[in-house]
Amino acid sequence: MSLETNALLAVAAVAGREFSFETVQLASRGDISAVLAGLDEATRAHVLEESDRPGRYRFVHALMQETLLGELTATTRARLHGEVGDALVVRYGERALDFGSTLATHFVAAA
């Protein structure tokens, strides 16, 4: 897989076993078409699979997500948790407080 796709997969791994396209796009600050191409590449490689809902993905095996997380330095992992937390705040908007535990998980890991 391309370096760009591997970078997207790192963001996705931090986001969770299941995640949305929008979260990864916002957290990676990537171009929508480029992010979609990367997720498509990972799907074709059977690293990810689309869920029943459009725009939702999951890692085919938890071990793939764990391996990606294990390859990140602590500093990079913390930075990505912050980026994912910020992306979720944008996604959730006015409902962000309804997802306080999810946000707290990412922001505590970013601290």
Side-chain angles (χ1 to χ4, degrees):
M1 274 185 283
S2 69
L3 293 175
E4 294 82 6
T5 296
N6 283 332
L8 285 175
L9 287 173
V11 174
V14 169
R17 173 98 194 264
E18 296 187 24
F19 58 91
S20 73
F21 163 81
E22 186 178 10
T23 298
V24 171
Q25 188 271 322
L26 288 168
S28 68
R29 297 186 177 124
D31 172 76
I32 291 172
S33 295
V35 172
L36 186 56
L39 295 175
D40 286 348
E41 180 183 0
T43 301
R44 285 190 306 275
H46 305 289
V47 173
L48 300 177
E49 61 187 3
E50 290 184 280
S51 78
D52 297 337
R53 297 182 351 217
R56 301 281 310 168
Y57 295 84
R58 70 180 147 261
F59 284 90
V60 173
H61 299 289
L63 185 56
M64 290 180 180
Q65 179 195 14
E66 291 172 22
T67 299
L68 287 161
L69 289 172
E71 292 175 348
L72 298 173
T73 64
T75 301
T76 298
R77 191 169 41 254
R79 181 185 61 77
L80 291 177
H81 272 291
E83 297 293 335
V84 168
D86 290 342
L88 291 173
V89 168
V90 170
R91 280 193 61 226
Y92 297 148
E94 292 180 10
R95 301 177 323 138
L97 292 179
D98 295 341
F99 300 92
S101 64
T102 300
L103 294 172
T105 298
H106 288 292
F107 288 128
V108 166

